[in-house]
Amino acid sequence: MKFHIIAFMLFCAGNLTAQNSIESILRAIEKNNKELQASEQLTLSKKLEAATENTLPDPNVSYERKWGKPASIGKTGELSVSQSFDFPSVYVYKNQLYDLKSNLYDQQKQIIRQQVLLNAKTICLDLISLFQQQKLLDLRLKNVQKLSSLYQKRLSNGDANILETNKIELELYNIKTQMRLIETDKNNKLKELQALNGNLPIEENLTDYSPVDFPESFEIYSQEAIASDPELRSLENELKVARKNISLSKSLWFPKFEIGYIREMEPTDKYNGISFGISIPLFENRNKIKQAKALSGYTQMQIENTRLQSLSTLRQLYDQAVNLKISMQEYNKLLQSQKTLSLLNKALENGQLSMIEYFIEANQVYESMQNYLQLENQYQQIVSQMYRYKL
């Protein structure tokens, strides 16, 4: 059996089933994750709070009762009901502000959603890597067990020495230890994934990576990524809110009004009437426009800084992915040119290699395979971060 055929089996050619498995896990987590459920309730709470900012103040009801002295002059009373309200343009701006804040809270919820799903996908990719390492160790274990059986017979026949047998037994012990450690890591990752899924079991088996489409150019990719970045979208909505607050602050300099009904009751007569009042905003709104403009300027600078930081991060991720892809291609060529394990086994059986020489050659092959697995996992993780905006 050619080594490149073994490599093809081990090094996890991606398939649509793998993609569907990860996607189904992410959709389940999106439905069951407690943090996302809490975020949904927090978003609803913020929207309701924003809605209360555009309501009329409570009406004011007062009643006065006066007793005359001497009692012969009688008693008087007064009932007053009044309602105050802002200038009409204030309610227009507050209504527009509510719509902008609702969009902002939805974007903030999207940021949390993306973080949770990216974390879940990272764990899924780690589980695939651990499964592939198990496959590699299974191959090593079967090979060493075969050698152990062979050298036990040779030792019985006097064709081998105890040192060679001990070397094989030590290799068996090392492999089994690594397998137990990987099984522990795998169980821990599954528990993390289950916790993200609301402590519900994960039914899917993750064994292979899915194919990834690498962007043709950084410029096209970065434009798409920046346009879909929820953090930038959130900041842009914050800027819209800040600018609308400037308009609202200006409109608050218009007077407030109060209108009401009055009923006066005297011993012999009763009077009905209306009341009208106006509030001149001389002190209450001082510096509010300046504060709103300052907040708008701050948010604008935050957007520019975040965009620059995002572009830098995307550039780094893109360059890392390119280098990892090149390294994977180089390793693939190297692995196909390596000696097959079957040839090494035959050379050992025919006495053309000593046990030490065999393990040196075999370990180089296994090390190359392990390095390839690590490179592939790093590549998948980087590409996952690059396309996190599609989660």
Side-chain angles (χ1 to χ4, degrees):
M1 181 172 58
K2 296 290 185 182
F3 177 76
H4 66 270
I5 297 177
I6 300 176
F8 175 81
M9 295 173 62
L10 284 171
F11 300 148
C12 311
N15 54 64
L16 293 177
T17 303
Q19 178 67 23
N20 291 336
S21 297
I22 293 180
E23 284 301 316
S24 62
I25 289 174
L26 295 183
R27 297 292 75 81
I29 288 174
E30 185 175 10
K31 177 182 177 182
N32 302 319
N33 183 263
K34 298 302 180 183
E35 184 178 358
L36 293 183
Q37 292 174 2
S39 175
E40 185 73 34
Q41 292 301 311
L42 179 61
T43 300
L44 177 60
S45 173
K46 287 181 176 180
K47 287 182 178 181
L48 292 173
E49 182 182 14
T52 62
E53 297 174 0
N54 195 28
T55 57
L56 289 170
D58 294 329
N60 183 42
V61 179
S62 64
Y63 177 74
E64 294 183 7
R65 184 69 170 172
K66 300 176 183 178
W67 291 268
K69 189 175 181 181
S72 59
I73 66 175
K75 303 175 182 178
T76 64
E78 181 178 293
L79 173 67
S80 174
V81 179
S82 62
Q83 174 68 58
S84 62
F85 54 91
D86 290 307
F87 200 80
S89 63
V90 171
Y91 296 104
V92 174
Y93 288 127
K94 283 185 175 181
N95 188 57
Q96 294 172 353
L97 199 57
Y98 168 75
D99 292 335
L100 293 174
K101 284 185 176 181
S102 294
N103 291 333
L104 170 61
Y105 299 147
D106 286 335
Q107 286 295 334
Q108 291 174 343
K109 182 178 68 174
Q110 281 296 108
I111 294 174
I112 297 175
R113 174 186 172 278
Q114 185 186 90
Q115 291 171 346
V116 170
L117 294 185
L118 180 61
N119 184 27
K121 188 167 185 179
T122 298
I123 296 173
C124 288
L125 295 176
D126 285 339
L127 283 168
I128 293 174
S129 178
L130 290 170
F131 175 81
Q132 294 181 352
Q133 291 179 54
Q134 282 182 324
K135 288 171 65 177
L136 178 58
L137 287 172
D138 284 339
L139 177 66
R140 293 181 63 181
L141 181 64
K142 291 176 182 178
N143 191 51
V144 175
Q145 285 175 337
K146 182 179 178 181
L147 289 177
S148 177
S149 177
L150 173 65
Y151 269 76
Q152 286 294 338
K153 292 179 181 178
R154 283 189 173 184
L155 183 64
S156 300
N157 297 331
D159 295 333
N161 58 61
I162 192 66
L163 293 177
E164 292 175 319
T165 306
N166 288 344
K167 175 67 176 174
I168 296 173
E169 293 302 318
L170 181 61
E171 184 70 9
L172 275 173
Y173 173 79
N174 290 335
I175 293 172
K176 290 178 180 179
T177 300
Q178 291 180 50
M179 293 180 75
R180 283 191 290 269
L181 291 174
I182 287 178
E183 187 63 29
T184 300
D185 289 342
K186 186 178 177 181
N187 289 334
N188 289 338
K189 291 292 181 182
L190 284 171
K191 289 176 183 176
E192 289 181 40
L193 204 59
Q194 183 171 316
L196 288 175
N197 196 37
N199 211 32
L200 297 175
I202 300 294
E203 303 296 339
E204 300 289 341
N205 293 320
L206 298 169
T207 58
D208 300 291
Y209 295 114
S210 59
V212 292
D213 296 325
F214 196 76
E216 295 180 1
S217 70
F218 175 74
E219 287 71 23
I220 297 175
Y221 156 71
S222 61
Q223 289 176 6
E224 182 182 353
I226 290 295
S228 305
D229 188 344
E231 186 175 354
L232 272 173
R233 298 291 75 75
S234 176
L235 285 171
E236 288 172 356
N237 276 312
E238 284 188 31
L239 180 60
K240 291 178 182 178
V241 169
R243 287 174 174 171
K244 189 60 65 175
N245 267 320
I246 295 175
S247 300
L248 176 61
S249 297
K250 290 178 179 178
S251 69
L252 287 173
W253 280 98
F254 292 115
K256 296 180 180 180
F257 303 100
E258 182 178 283
I259 190 170
Y261 164 77
I262 298 176
R263 179 179 175 84
E264 292 185 1
M265 294 161 284
E266 295 185 356
T268 57
D269 301 295
K270 293 180 174 58
Y271 301 91
N272 295 302
I274 61 171
S275 65
F276 179 79
I278 186 170
S279 173
I280 310 298
L282 296 178
F283 311 109
E284 186 178 359
N285 296 316
R286 182 173 293 179
N287 294 324
K288 281 192 175 182
I289 295 178
K290 291 181 180 179
Q291 184 268 339
K293 287 182 177 179
L295 181 60
S296 176
Y298 165 78
T299 307
Q300 180 65 55
M301 296 301 296
Q302 281 288 94
I303 291 174
E304 294 175 9
N305 179 63
T306 302
R307 182 176 284 108
L308 290 174
Q309 294 296 327
S310 296
L311 281 172
S312 175
T313 300
L314 293 175
R315 180 83 253 186
Q316 294 175 47
L317 291 173
Y318 184 86
D319 291 343
Q320 280 183 273
V322 169
N323 291 330
L324 286 169
K325 191 174 183 180
I326 293 173
S327 297
M328 286 170 59
Q329 292 170 347
E330 291 175 348
Y331 256 102
N332 192 38
K333 292 179 182 179
L334 174 65
L335 290 171
Q336 292 186 26
S337 64
Q338 288 275 358
K339 295 177 181 178
T340 65
L341 293 174
S342 58
L343 287 177
L344 289 176
N345 289 336
K346 288 180 180 179
L348 179 63
E349 292 171 8
N350 295 331
Q352 297 172 344
L353 288 177
S354 68
M355 180 60 67
I356 293 178
E357 290 173 332
Y358 170 83
F359 275 114
I360 290 174
E361 293 288 339
N363 284 337
Q364 285 181 344
V365 174
Y366 289 129
E367 184 178 353
S368 297
M369 297 166 74
Q370 180 65 31
N371 289 340
Y372 185 93
L373 291 179
Q374 292 176 355
L375 283 173
E376 188 173 26
N377 181 253
Q378 291 175 22
Y379 176 73
Q380 290 282 342
Q381 297 281 11
I382 293 296
V383 173
S384 176
Q385 292 182 52
M386 288 174 59
Y387 286 111
R388 63 186 181 274
Y389 62 90
K390 290 187 175 182
L391 292 173

